[in-house]
Amino acid sequence: MNTPTIHPVVLCGGSGTRLWPLSRKAFPKQFAPLVGNKSLLHLTLERLATLNRTITCVASEEHRFLVREAIENAQTQGRQILEPVPRNTAAAMAAAALLADPDDLLLFAPADHHIPDVALFAATMRSGVEAALAGKIVTFGVAPSFPSTAYGYIEAAEATGHGASRAVARFVEKPTAAVAETLILQGNYCWNAGIFLVQARTLVAALRTHAPDILATCERATAAVSVDGSFVRLDCEIFEGCRSESIDYAVLEKHADVAVVRFEGAWSDVGSWNAVARLHPADEADNRVSGMGSVLNSRNTFVHAPHRPVVALGTEDLIIVDTPDAVLVAGADCAEQVAEVVRMLAREGTVEATEHRRVVRPWGAYDSIDTGERFQVKHLTVKPGGKLSLQMHHHRAEHWIVVKGTAKATRGGEVLLVRENESIYLPSGTIHRLENPGKTMLEVIEVQTGSYLGEDDIVRFDDTYGRCPAAERRDALAMPSAMQPAVERSVDAPA
Amino acid sequence: MNTPTIHPVVLCGGSGTRLWPLSRKAFPKQFAPLVGNKSLLHLTLERLATLNRTITCVASEEHRFLVREAIENAQTQGRQILEPVPRNTAAAMAAAALLADPDDLLLFAPADHHIPDVALFAATMRSGVEAALAGKIVTFGVAPSFPSTAYGYIEAAEATGHGASRAVARFVEKPTAAVAETLILQGNYCWNAGIFLVQARTLVAALRTHAPDILATCERATAAVSVDGSFVRLDCEIFEGCRSESIDYAVLEKHADVAVVRFEGAWSDVGSWNAVARLHPADEADNRVSGMGSVLNSRNTFVHAPHRPVVALGTEDLIIVDTPDAVLVAGADCAEQVAEVVRMLAREGTVEATEHRRVVRPWGAYDSIDTGERFQVKHLTVKPGGKLSLQMHHHRAEHWIVVKGTAKATRGGEVLLVRENESIYLPSGTIHRLENPGKTMLEVIEVQTGSYLGEDDIVRFDDTYGRCPAAERRDALAMPSAMQPAVERSVDAPA
């Protein structure tokens, strides 16, 4: 028998706020560079690529460009199934199974776990193939290293006769500390890692038995997908009506034929700042420091400081997280309350509760580096081949200064090349576009001036990334004067 | 008898690092906005202005523009005696006394104390006049509110017969906690606030008796002053040779005729972050928060957050200080070790140990808002009438975008007005100058590009603020081509 092909499916839908201020609604933890400048999604893709370089991602519409960036960085390929709204793992896995060939062997893996031993991971996954091909849903259980109360447990029963897999006796929800101690002493319990190997047809059949409503909704949503390059969009209205349930509750805890394969390597769900801290080596006083952090007379203090000097002096049992636009200082035993902080800030209308200063776009990213009354300064980074939409602003003019690379600028009827150390002026009302025609990153300082500088003062006429509603295009046609060369307001002539 | 004129002298030489990262060598604590957006120097000048609006400041050459800014903001007037190097209070007071009329009644006050009751302060100072005119050195002692171990104490003896003043029995250095408790129970001890009222002739005579070397050096340094507007510069070489000693050690502890007047109001030397915290109101859990700080389930936590959201979660007895380019998190009982942090960072070569991102200049200020390979972005704020030097850079070109106000720009042989939303390009090698000819603040975004962007790539040809060495002017004359209109490298023509 040839080794059958494993088709990895990464579940990217997590939107936890437990790692605020690093992770936020618009930028969940799986996208944040947490381990040696790589994101957990990047590492997950690299890990799965040792099994198969073509990987399906199930992700939120909102995060598609972040996922694409990770796919590119990890040098993998594959499509993204885009969820218009989050509906938990049962629906995400149902959609992926329905869009696969029924014979496909699917390996579902969360995007936001850390598993450093890639070779052991791949070997363990392969050791579940035989049971999966025999019609079982194969889960992977992590050999517990301490009596965690933050994870669910799986009790293994007798061997199935298929490789290393054993039957699942039962699933145990997050236990109390006392119960957790008992469980790990028994030797046949392991942590539920949320990783599953299953044939598409097996999962669909199990859903039909245990969660027929979820399956039916997903059948209709996948029948009505729209395909846009590597993006596969589920029908919005139908999918919105789907019940939101985890695969554990919806199927696994009710299904008879579930097997478990034990994974003996290190694993973390990176579910709190304490877990992030543990990814870093400790000094002799148990301090863990990253980036520009430093400690003096401190104990058990974690400092996350990628951007500027952050000093902990005489602190104990503390977590310090610095980002360009928000800082968190938390007692180590309060790491689980970070979500409460986010709710508090959101209630107060603090934008940093959910959004970052640096925003990723399909063409690259922008970082708001300065802002004042009637002006705003952004640092734009445009990827090779990246193309901002053809657009116009009613209320703001823009100056672009190219500080790295070469820009192709459309301004009214002109198309100009703007080189390093050159600038160009775009009066308000002028249709314009910025592109990177080169092979290296383009970096531009954009100075906006005007009475209103909101992101929503934008009329898009054309967009490479499908962000241009038809209504706006119609508006554009009704406004031919906007295409006329701009009246220039600079000193000589604007550059 | 007419009420004699009091001549306030503010001692601005303090360069403490105990409030890092807010105060740094280039920006000591007396200049930082700590109380309702006013600096301690600003408040000190306002307080003294109730006695006399003409105030002498003794300050470091390095800080003269910071002092001038505070003088303007506090709407006071007067000269600055500039010390080329710091030589402690005995020398600073000697210089001020020697540069005053011998009959002048001088009120010496540190720049960095907080005394909220201005009327009581003024009345208390006036109550010392009679004793000072009788030839005494009058010190002011603060009625102690707790047994502090951070302050020196003054023991008062019998009344002098001159107003409320009493003879000083002795000075006590910072005591142990046990001794401090005994002292404040006795009722005749008060804190030494470092404020002195004395006739110039009295102080000079006392110096002649107890510290003749300091007096002699200061006599020579003041004989050789150079006057430049309101700046009075002590002779650098002579003053450098002066012994560095506090007035307490050099004179007061040895002098027979010292009186003390008790001040019954609130007073703080703002000598640590704990003292800064106490300037803010506490919530019911003893948290004190300023700016965009917030706390959740915290106790006795101080958050200084003028720029971005800073959240303390479940913290206790903690100090959190955020600045644009460095963060300090310290245990409340470690506030006295902040200077150690600064030494550690300086050893590691961290520039933020001593310098700020925002740098004050005589014409206004600049803030480095972004930096990258071969480019740098600064936000310049130019005061009305402010004028940067006529200058040239060998290695960098500059783009200026005016985002507020109107700029007068000299570029080679041209002089141009650049209005809001306009820009101008300055190729490297072009002599240029930026001025604010208007009545409101001018704000400019400056984008620098080039292979070397250090502050020292500047050739100054003319400077309103005396920052232009003759050697550079000679260089300029030898380089007439630099005055030729620049070759322009922008797209149309650079704006």
Side-chain angles (χ1 to χ4, degrees):
Chain A
M1 180 178 100
N2 285 336
T3 313
T5 306
I6 291 175
H7 297 275
V9 180
V10 180
L11 303 171
C12 306
S15 67
T17 50
R18 291 185 294 172
L19 295 192
W20 186 88
L22 186 65
S23 82
R24 304 185 192 176
K25 182 173 173 292
F27 191 76
K29 85 169 199 251
Q30 58 267 31
F31 304 115
L34 275 176
V35 184
N37 255 336
K38 289 183 179 177
S39 69
L40 294 172
L41 172 57
H42 181 156
L43 290 168
T44 298
L45 291 166
E46 284 187 345
R47 188 164 59 244
L48 293 169
T50 61
L51 296 164
N52 187 344
R53 207 155 266 294
T54 302
I55 299 170
T56 298
C57 291
V58 187
S60 153
E61 174 80 23
E62 181 184 6
H63 302 140
R64 65 196 185 281
F65 298 116
L66 291 167
V67 174
R68 179 190 277 181
E69 194 172 36
I71 290 172
E72 286 170 8
N73 289 342
Q75 295 179 286
T76 58
Q77 58 200 32
R79 62 185 175 177
Q80 284 187 50
I81 301 173
L82 296 178
E83 302 175 298
V85 289
R87 285 294 177 264
N88 215 326
T89 46
M93 289 169 64
L98 289 165
L99 288 168
D101 184 286
D103 288 333
D104 279 357
L105 197 52
L106 305 177
L107 175 62
F108 292 97
D112 56 355
H113 292 178
H114 185 55
I115 306 172
D117 191 339
V118 174
L120 181 62
F121 171 82
T124 307
M125 298 302 112
R126 284 201 191 92
S127 73
V129 167
E130 193 185 315
L133 290 178
K136 295 178 187 303
I137 301 179
V138 181
T139 69
F140 292 85
V142 176
S145 49
F146 64 97
S148 171
T149 58
Y151 305 136
Y153 286 73
I154 300 172
E155 184 187 354
E158 73 290 350
T160 62
H162 297 289
S165 74
R166 297 169 70 177
V168 168
R170 60 173 183 135
F171 290 87
V172 182
E173 289 200 54
K174 294 178 186 177
T176 62
V179 172
E181 302 237 8
T182 328
L183 297 185
I184 66 159
L185 287 175
Q186 295 183 34
N188 58 333
Y189 284 86
C190 48
W191 292 335
N192 183 354
I195 304 173
F196 310 102
L197 186 68
V198 62
Q199 272 191 304
R201 67 165 80 254
T202 306
L203 183 61
V204 171
L207 283 159
R208 197 172 318 278
T209 306
H210 305 295
D213 62 320
I214 293 178
L215 183 71
T217 310
C218 289
E219 278 174 333
R220 288 189 297 128
T222 50
V225 295
S226 70
V227 178
D228 165 15
S230 64
F231 296 137
V232 179
R233 288 190 171 83
L234 300 173
D235 183 274
C236 181
E237 254 175 77
I238 299 170
F239 195 75
E240 259 179 12
C242 189
R243 181 155 61 92
S244 182
E245 190 76 276
S246 76
I247 193 72
D248 299 71
Y249 284 122
V251 173
L252 292 181
E253 297 185 359
K254 299 166 183 163
H255 196 60
D257 211 7
V258 183
V260 58
V261 171
R262 200 170 161 99
F263 175 65
E264 300 286 344
W267 168 89
S268 166
D269 76 342
V270 199
S272 71
W273 277 114
N274 285 325
V276 175
R278 282 192 295 266
L279 302 182
H280 297 80
D283 71 10
E284 65 287 351
D286 247 356
N287 300 299
R288 295 152 198 271
V289 160
S290 81
M292 300 173 75
S294 49
V295 289
L296 190 65
N297 306 332
S298 288
R299 281 195 352 91
N300 189 30
T301 293
F302 171 58
V303 185
H304 175 86
H307 302 288
R308 72 192 131 217
V310 176
V311 181
L313 167 65
T315 56
E316 209 172 318
D317 303 325
L318 205 65
I319 294 160
I320 305 171
V321 181
D322 182 42
T323 71
D325 57 354
V327 181
L328 172 71
V329 181
D333 53 358
C334 299
E336 305 295 332
Q337 299 167 27
V338 170
E340 233 178 282
V341 167
V342 176
R343 282 193 294 277
M344 174 184 82
L345 293 178
R347 260 197 318 274
E348 292 166 357
T350 306
V351 64
E352 289 83 1
T354 53
E355 279 168 43
H356 269 283
R357 205 184 85 158
R358 180 172 184 273
V359 177
V360 173
R361 288 282 184 251
W363 44 261
Y366 68 81
D367 186 11
S368 299
I369 57 175
D370 195 17
T371 182
E373 204 189 319
R374 294 173 52 81
F375 78 92
Q376 187 164 203
V377 187
K378 289 183 177 175
H379 180 162
L380 314 180
T381 309
V382 187
K383 297 177 197 174
K387 229 178 175 180
L388 281 71
S389 58
L390 185 67
Q391 58 187 239
M392 189 266 276
H393 312 292
H394 289 293
H395 304 291
R396 67 174 186 253
E398 293 178 347
H399 297 258
W400 293 339
I401 298 101
V402 175
V403 293
K404 197 163 185 192
T406 297
K408 184 172 157 191
T410 304
R411 177 174 62 178
E414 307 167 271
V415 176
L416 303 153
L417 281 185
V418 190
R419 290 177 193 80
E420 199 170 302
N421 192 28
E422 297 179 340
S423 70
I424 184 167
Y425 174 68
L426 306 142
S428 61
T430 309
I431 290 188
H432 60 275
R433 163 173 256 165
L434 177 65
E435 293 171 59
N436 179 359
K439 300 284 179 220
T440 59
M441 280 289 183
L442 165 67
E443 295 188 51
V444 174
I445 302 299
E446 175 180 277
V447 181
Q448 306 178 351
T449 51
S451 51
Y452 178 75
L453 301 168
E455 277 302 309
D456 54 347
D457 174 21
I458 185 166
V459 184
R460 289 204 173 96
F461 302 99
D462 178 49
D463 187 69
T464 313
Y465 312 102
R467 300 175 304 163
C468 177
E472 287 188 357
R473 275 191 295 266
R474 277 195 307 279
D475 286 355
L477 296 176
M479 217 180 343
S481 68
M483 288 299 290
Q484 291 168 7
V487 177
E488 292 175 347
R489 293 163 59 195
S490 281
V491 171
D492 304 337
Chain B
M1 178 176 104
N2 284 337
T3 313
T5 305
I6 291 175
H7 298 275
V9 180
V10 181
L11 303 172
C12 306
S15 67
T17 50
R18 291 185 293 174
L19 296 192
W20 186 88
L22 187 65
S23 82
R24 304 185 192 176
K25 182 174 172 293
F27 190 76
K29 83 169 201 252
Q30 57 267 31
F31 304 115
L34 274 177
V35 184
N37 255 336
K38 289 182 180 177
S39 70
L40 294 172
L41 173 58
H42 181 156
L43 290 167
T44 298
L45 291 166
E46 284 187 345
R47 188 164 61 244
L48 293 169
T50 60
L51 296 164
N52 187 344
R53 208 155 265 294
T54 302
I55 300 170
T56 298
C57 291
V58 186
S60 153
E61 173 81 23
E62 181 184 5
H63 300 139
R64 64 197 186 280
F65 298 115
L66 290 166
V67 174
R68 177 192 276 180
E69 195 172 35
I71 290 171
E72 287 170 9
N73 290 341
Q75 296 180 285
T76 57
Q77 59 200 30
R79 62 185 175 176
Q80 284 186 50
I81 300 173
L82 296 178
E83 301 175 298
V85 289
R87 285 295 178 263
N88 214 327
T89 46
M93 289 169 65
L98 289 165
L99 288 167
D101 185 286
D103 288 332
D104 279 356
L105 198 53
L106 304 178
L107 175 62
F108 292 97
D112 56 354
H113 292 179
H114 185 55
I115 305 171
D117 191 340
V118 173
L120 181 62
F121 170 82
T124 306
M125 297 303 112
R126 284 200 192 92
S127 74
V129 167
E130 193 184 316
L133 290 179
K136 294 177 187 303
I137 302 179
V138 181
T139 70
F140 293 86
V142 175
S145 49
F146 63 98
S148 172
T149 59
Y151 305 136
Y153 287 72
I154 301 172
E155 183 186 355
E158 73 291 349
T160 61
H162 297 289
S165 73
R166 297 169 70 177
V168 167
R170 60 172 184 136
F171 289 87
V172 182
E173 288 202 54
K174 294 177 187 177
T176 62
V179 172
E181 302 238 6
T182 327
L183 297 185
I184 66 161
L185 287 174
Q186 295 183 36
N188 59 332
Y189 283 87
C190 48
W191 293 333
N192 183 353
I195 304 173
F196 310 101
L197 187 67
V198 62
Q199 272 192 304
R201 68 166 77 255
T202 306
L203 182 62
V204 170
L207 283 159
R208 195 171 318 278
T209 306
H210 306 295
D213 61 322
I214 293 177
L215 183 71
T217 309
C218 290
E219 278 173 334
R220 288 189 296 129
T222 50
V225 295
S226 70
V227 178
D228 164 15
S230 63
F231 296 136
V232 179
R233 288 190 171 83
L234 301 172
D235 183 275
C236 181
E237 253 176 79
I238 299 170
F239 195 75
E240 260 179 11
C242 190
R243 180 157 61 93
S244 182
E245 190 77 275
S246 76
I247 193 73
D248 299 71
Y249 285 122
V251 174
L252 291 182
E253 296 184 1
K254 301 167 182 162
H255 196 61
D257 211 6
V258 183
V260 57
V261 171
R262 201 170 161 100
F263 175 65
E264 299 286 344
W267 168 88
S268 166
D269 76 343
V270 200
S272 71
W273 277 114
N274 286 325
V276 175
R278 283 192 293 267
L279 302 181
H280 298 80
D283 71 10
E284 64 285 351
D286 246 356
N287 300 300
R288 297 153 197 270
V289 160
S290 81
M292 299 174 75
S294 49
V295 289
L296 190 67
N297 306 333
S298 288
R299 280 192 355 89
N300 189 30
T301 293
F302 171 58
V303 185
H304 175 86
H307 302 287
R308 72 192 132 219
V310 177
V311 181
L313 167 65
T315 56
E316 209 171 315
D317 303 326
L318 204 67
I319 294 160
I320 305 170
V321 181
D322 183 42
T323 70
D325 57 353
V327 181
L328 172 71
V329 181
D333 52 358
C334 299
E336 306 293 333
Q337 298 167 28
V338 170
E340 233 178 283
V341 168
V342 176
R343 280 193 296 275
M344 174 183 81
L345 293 177
R347 258 197 320 272
E348 292 165 357
T350 307
V351 64
E352 290 82 3
T354 52
E355 279 168 42
H356 270 283
R357 205 182 85 158
R358 180 172 183 275
V359 177
V360 173
R361 288 282 183 253
W363 43 262
Y366 69 81
D367 187 9
S368 299
I369 57 174
D370 196 16
T371 182
E373 204 190 320
R374 295 173 51 82
F375 78 92
Q376 186 164 205
V377 187
K378 289 184 177 174
H379 180 162
L380 314 180
T381 308
V382 187
K383 299 178 196 172
K387 232 178 174 180
L388 281 71
S389 59
L390 184 68
Q391 58 188 237
M392 190 266 278
H393 312 292
H394 289 293
H395 303 291
R396 67 177 188 251
E398 293 179 345
H399 297 257
W400 294 339
I401 298 101
V402 175
V403 294
K404 199 163 185 193
T406 297
K408 184 171 158 192
T410 304
R411 177 174 63 178
E414 309 167 88
V415 176
L416 304 152
L417 280 185
V418 190
R419 290 178 193 80
E420 198 169 302
N421 192 28
E422 297 180 340
S423 70
I424 183 168
Y425 174 68
L426 307 141
S428 62
T430 309
I431 290 189
H432 59 275
R433 164 173 256 163
L434 178 65
E435 293 172 56
N436 179 0
K439 299 284 178 220
T440 59
M441 279 289 182
L442 165 67
E443 295 189 50
V444 173
I445 303 299
E446 174 180 277
V447 181
Q448 306 178 351
T449 51
S451 52
Y452 178 76
L453 301 168
E455 277 303 309
D456 55 348
D457 173 22
I458 185 165
V459 184
R460 290 203 173 97
F461 301 99
D462 178 50
D463 186 70
T464 313
Y465 312 102
R467 301 175 303 163
C468 177
E472 288 187 357
R473 275 191 296 266
R474 276 196 308 277
D475 286 355
L477 296 176
M479 216 179 347
S481 67
M483 288 298 289
Q484 290 168 8
V487 177
E488 291 175 348
R489 294 161 59 192
S490 282
V491 171
D492 304 338

